[in-house]
Structure formats: structure tokens, C-alpha cells
Amino acid sequence: MNLSQILSQHAQNTPHKIALITAQGQTTYQELEQMSDSMAHLLQAKGVKRGSRVLLLLPISPELYAALAAVWKLAGVAVVIDPGAGIPNFRHGVRATRPEVFMGISKSHLLRLLSAELRQVPVHISTGFVPFTTRWAQQPCTAIEAAQVDADTPALITFTSGSTSKPKAAARSHGFLLAQNQALQHTLQLEPEGIHLCTLAVVTLTVLAAGGTALIPDAKLARPGFIQPEPVLKQLQKHQPLTVTASPAFVERLAEKGKLPFRRIYVGGAPVFPYQLELFKQQSSAEIYSVYGSTEAEPIAEQAHSQILPEDFEHMRSGKGLLTGIPVPEIQLRILPDQHGQPFAYQTRAAFENATLPPMQVGEIVVTGNHVLKSYLDPSGNTETKWTDEQGQTWHRTGDAGCLDAQGRLWLLGRCGARVDDLYPFSVEVAAQNHPAVKRAALTAHQGQKVLWVQWKGPEDPSGLAEMLSWANLTEIRSLKAIPLDRRHNAKVDYNRLPRT
């Protein structure tokens, strides 16, 4: 079974239930299914068949999910590349996947001017009017029954963020998507009868698979940390969604401007710092959860704000890192010695388990599970990050440093590759953000020295900061107007763009 069949079942069982709410209107499950069939007929006429790759440049919208279902009905492979990652990375993505069909909104076709790779895609389809391009417009049509697929049939290709290296193509099978959907439904406690504010494409898909209603915010989701909150707050007042799942930067923008009417708030995709959790708590009576994961494994761990103890906050202030909670039941997690930049050192599962670090010792976080990516599209990318034991179980090296405490909770310390001498970045950055004048902090190295860059909330006020961080033995604390952040979530420090002098 694939997810398109699940959506078709919802269209049969609850045809008039609202699937998606956007600023433009509402779409029922029946309407989503009819849209999907219409797209599938067009794609089929354009030669899409089992294994065909279809590049989709569509925002989170009814058209995106209808297109995904249409591709999967034909046993094709959907390709999603984020243009916001920059034109060089976008061109790399098209080269790596070599799609046979490109389908996008009118604006996305302007990328053909900047990408020879995109111009070379044989078939171009637009959801609006674009000269010399096939236009999709919904028309009455017969239903298309989904092709039979097995768990290993390719379904979706997306890309890693590329924040530490060139983006890798993550190839997901139908079995992977179903396992991820199950893990996310459990982690997010999805209630089919509720409305859920969704800012992340994978979460929207999970809501639809559960038969719920997804509310798409009236905002530019490509820059979640810079949204205009007022239109979204109006949507919240009107629709009263039960939950939100979003980048911490997105929820922070809303919380700075108004009360949050949710029953539960899930923040992830980037580190969720204590000051953000406190802000969300002040602005809402919701249960608040931080979710840790990555492109290759989402989710990995979850932490309820209500279960963070005063001593946990004290540990975060004193350099232990960032508490991210208990690993989800669907995943196995180990902490291994940090061997960043080196090949995986273990030849047998016994050697692997013997190397596992005990609680309170910091190393690299390694995971396995049905929703953990087993291979990149280009298998050469597996060499440093994947290891398969003699039983065929594949483990993924996250590249993140952390440790488990005596209660089995995971503490995150940042990227292994961002370590400065004996310090991992989160040990200092999380502690620094406890200073009342610090908005954001970033630890880096310069000529063997430990430098902490600080972005202030207002006027520069370093009083007491050096004393707070005396245990870190910093060489210098420097001010920066704005600490560079990742483009996808606007919440993770982009260490490569920090000043080098």
C-alpha cells in the first residue's frame, strides 16, 4: 500500500470532510481525490509510468498533495528540491535526480532562466499560464486506481539541508513513508477530528494520512523566521486549530505578537532553546513539545516542556547541552565515540555494541529504525554516514554530538564537526542564551582560539556574561549584528558563514 491509497480511502469514507484549509479556501477529501485523478491522467498522457521521476515545485497547498498522490498512483517517484537553498544547490539537485517531468506553479518556471538543467527536463507542466508549457487545469475524469507497489518501491526524493556539505539526495521508499507516517502520528498524537496548523510538508502529509484537517498558514513558509504574524493569528482566531507543528522561529514570531490558542505545540527542525520554551509557555496554555530529528530520521526524540525539571534547566545553563527527551519507540539509538571525519570503525555488531558509551558520556548519536534512511540516491554518500551490520540492519550516523542521561533522555550538544577544542557548540550557546541581553550565540574557532559570537536583543550589554561562562575558558566574546542562520528553518546557526577574523 502507498499513501495515495490511504487518501483515496478517506475520499470514499469521508468525501465531504475538509482536508486542507488555505487562505484561498477549503478543499475536501473528495475534491483532493478528483484533483489527483485529473493530474494523474495528464501525467500518464505525458509518459509518466512506474519509476518515472517527476519534479514538483509547488508550495504546501492542495495542488502539492494532489500531485504527490497522482505520481504515486502511477508508481512514479516525486522529486522535491527547495529553490530557497540557493541556485547552485537547486541546479545540483536537478542534475542528481534527472527528472523526466517538471510540474510547478507559474512563478517556478522562471527558474528555467537560471538553470540549464531545468530547461533540459523533457516535459514542463504549469498549474497556471506559462507560454510554451502544458497547463494543468482540472477537468472531469475517471478515477485512476493506484498501481501496486511493495515496501521497497521508490516514492520520494528530497534533499538534506546542505548546511555542512553539498545537499545529498534522500531517496524514500513507500515502506519508509508509511513507517515515518506511523512514527509521526504517534509522536504528534494526531487526532483525526481536529484541525492542525501545518508548516512542514511531511507533517501536512501525516495529517492527511490520518484523515485530519490541515490548516496552511497565510505566510511565506520559505522564511519561517521572518513571517508576518498578523494574518496567521487571524487564521488561528477563526479556525482554532488543536495543534501546530513548526520551526521554533515560526512559533516565536507568533508568540511575540499574540496569544497562541493551541492545545499542543510541537517545535522541531532546529534546536529549541529554553528561552523559546518559556516564551511559548507565557503566551499559551498548551502542552509544548520539542521534537528532535533530521532529514534522514524524523522523528528521533521528543521532550515535553512540563517534564523538564528545575535541575534540568540548571544543567542547560551550566554547559550540559540541550535536553531533547526520550527517543521515540520506533527508533533505536546509541552513543558512540566521536569519530567525525573518519570511516565507521566497526566490522561486527558485537564490536559496535561494545563501543557504545554509557550514560553521561558524550559521543556521536547513531540511530536505526524503519523510518531511518537506509541509503542516499547516490550510494557514495553512504560511506561516511551508514553502516549495515551482519544481520542487515542499517545504522545512520547523525553527525550530532550528545549523551544519554541516567533516565534515558537524550542531551544534544550540536554538530560533531563544530566542536572547538574540548567544547561542543551547544554547551556554550545554550548557556549563553540564559543571559537576559543575549538573543543568539555561536561558538567558533579562530587560530586555535575559542570565540563566542553574540547577537544582542537590544543595546550591547555583556555585563556578567564572561563570568557566567567562565567554565568554558573562552578566549574572546565578540558582538555580531546578526548571526547567520540556515535558510530552511531560520533557526540553526550557519557556522560556515560566521566571520573568520
Side-chain angles (χ1 to χ4, degrees):
M1 176 177 283
N2 66 47
L3 289 176
S4 72
Q5 291 172 292
I6 295 175
L7 296 179
S8 296
Q9 288 175 358
H10 292 321
Q12 288 182 341
N13 298 334
T14 56
H16 304 299
K17 183 172 182 180
I18 303 301
L20 288 149
I21 302 172
T22 69
Q24 289 71 44
Q26 300 180 344
T27 304
T28 66
Y29 277 95
Q30 183 180 62
E31 290 168 337
L32 190 66
E33 179 72 358
Q34 291 169 344
M35 194 183 301
S36 167
D37 284 332
S38 175
M39 289 182 173
H41 275 285
L42 176 59
L43 292 172
Q44 195 171 50
K46 292 296 182 180
V48 173
K49 57 186 183 299
R50 184 178 294 270
S52 297
R53 292 178 183 171
V54 181
L55 172 61
L56 300 177
L57 292 184
L58 299 163
I60 299 179
S61 61
E63 288 78 10
L64 172 62
Y65 294 96
L68 286 169
V71 172
W72 293 334
K73 284 178 179 180
L74 303 176
V77 182
V79 179
V80 179
I81 307 172
D82 179 13
I87 293 302
N89 285 337
F90 177 80
R91 296 182 64 180
H92 160 71
V94 180
R95 283 195 301 271
T97 55
R98 300 174 65 186
E100 298 150 60
V101 176
F102 157 42
M103 183 176 189
I105 59 174
S106 300
K107 186 178 178 181
S108 70
H109 285 262
L110 294 173
L111 288 168
R112 286 188 283 174
L113 301 173
L114 303 174
S115 170
E117 296 81 3
L118 192 57
R119 293 194 295 272
Q120 292 165 5
V121 175
V123 178
H124 292 179
I125 300 173
S126 173
T127 57
F129 177 74
V130 177
F132 311 110
T133 299
T134 300
R135 183 182 182 184
W136 171 78
Q138 187 169 349
Q139 298 177 353
C141 62
T142 58
I144 288 188
E145 185 176 351
Q148 293 300 309
V149 298
D150 58 35
D152 294 328
T153 301
L156 177 67
I157 300 172
T158 64
F159 282 80
T160 60
S161 64
S163 58
T164 56
S165 61
K166 183 171 286 191
K168 296 186 181 74
R172 296 172 168 84
S173 67
H174 284 276
F176 177 99
L177 289 179
L178 289 170
Q180 183 179 54
N181 172 70
Q182 183 179 31
L184 282 170
Q185 283 198 27
H186 175 261
T187 299
L188 303 178
Q189 306 173 61
L190 278 177
E191 302 168 29
E193 296 310 313
I195 295 175
H196 307 273
L197 183 69
C198 299
T199 69
L200 306 171
V202 66
V203 174
T204 308
L205 183 61
T206 301
V207 170
L208 295 176
T213 298
L215 172 62
I216 309 304
D218 183 10
K220 294 182 178 180
L221 297 179
R223 302 191 74 201
F226 300 91
I227 64 161
Q228 295 298 320
E230 289 78 10
V232 182
L233 291 171
K234 287 181 180 178
Q235 286 182 301
L236 303 187
Q237 188 175 28
K238 178 179 180 180
H239 297 290
Q240 296 293 307
L242 295 178
T243 72
V244 59
T245 306
S247 158
F250 179 94
V251 182
E252 187 174 353
R253 287 288 293 163
L254 295 183
E256 288 171 344
K257 292 294 183 180
K259 293 292 184 179
L260 307 178
F262 308 104
R263 187 180 299 174
R264 295 189 303 280
I265 295 172
Y266 297 93
V267 277
V272 187
F273 295 109
Y275 83 90
Q276 293 171 317
L277 293 173
E278 290 302 319
L279 172 63
F280 305 159
K281 194 64 181 175
Q282 291 169 10
Q283 292 292 77
S284 173
S285 59
E287 299 175 72
I288 303 167
Y289 299 86
S290 55
V291 182
Y292 164 60
S294 67
T295 300
E296 298 88 349
E298 180 70 52
I300 292 176
E302 179 186 50
Q303 176 64 54
H305 176 266
S306 61
Q307 296 177 353
I308 302 177
L309 304 174
E311 51 264 39
D312 296 326
F313 284 111
E314 181 56 38
H315 286 317
M316 286 189 267
R317 287 191 289 267
S318 59
K320 186 173 180 179
L322 186 64
L323 179 60
T324 56
I326 296 288
V328 300
E330 295 84 359
I331 213 162
Q332 293 184 56
L333 183 147
R334 302 286 190 274
I335 306 296
L336 294 175
D338 182 356
Q339 298 173 329
H340 175 72
Q342 302 175 38
F344 215 59
Y346 313 104
Q347 301 299 317
T348 66
R349 179 64 180 268
F352 171 90
E353 294 292 354
N354 288 337
T356 298
L357 297 176
M360 313 308 292
Q361 288 195 25
V362 175
E364 184 178 12
I365 301 167
V366 183
V367 294
T368 190
N370 289 335
H371 71 284
V372 176
L373 193 73
K374 291 179 172 54
S375 176
Y376 296 106
L377 184 65
D378 179 357
S380 65
N382 299 336
T383 305
E384 293 182 357
T385 61
K386 310 288 183 186
W387 176 72
T388 302
D389 63 23
E390 55 267 49
Q391 283 81 43
Q393 190 168 26
T394 299
W395 291 80
H396 170 68
R397 300 173 68 178
T398 65
D400 289 332
C403 69
L404 292 168
D405 64 16
Q407 291 80 45
R409 301 177 304 175
L410 181 65
W411 291 75
L412 191 64
L413 285 108
R415 300 295 293 172
C416 293
R419 183 174 65 175
V420 178
D421 195 11
D422 59 337
L423 288 177
Y424 287 99
F426 283 7
S427 61
V428 182
E429 294 168 6
V430 175
Q433 289 183 148
N434 189 59
H435 188 282
V438 174
K439 178 175 179 61
R440 192 170 282 114
L443 179 70
T444 189
H446 176 62
Q447 297 180 347
Q449 298 180 329
K450 302 174 188 175
V451 177
L452 184 69
W453 296 96
V454 174
Q455 178 181 338
W456 305 96
K457 294 177 181 177
E460 184 175 330
D461 180 16
S463 57
L465 180 59
E467 184 178 352
M468 281 177 54
L469 302 175
S470 60
W471 50 269
N473 296 316
L474 298 173
T475 306
E476 189 177 1
I477 297 175
R478 299 184 185 180
S479 299
L480 199 61
K481 183 177 180 180
I483 287 178
L485 302 175
D486 71 296
R487 296 183 179 185
R488 181 176 293 180
H489 297 292
N490 304 149
K492 295 186 285 190
V493 173
D494 187 340
Y495 295 97
N496 293 326
R497 291 164 55 205
L498 286 169
R500 296 298 179 185
T501 57

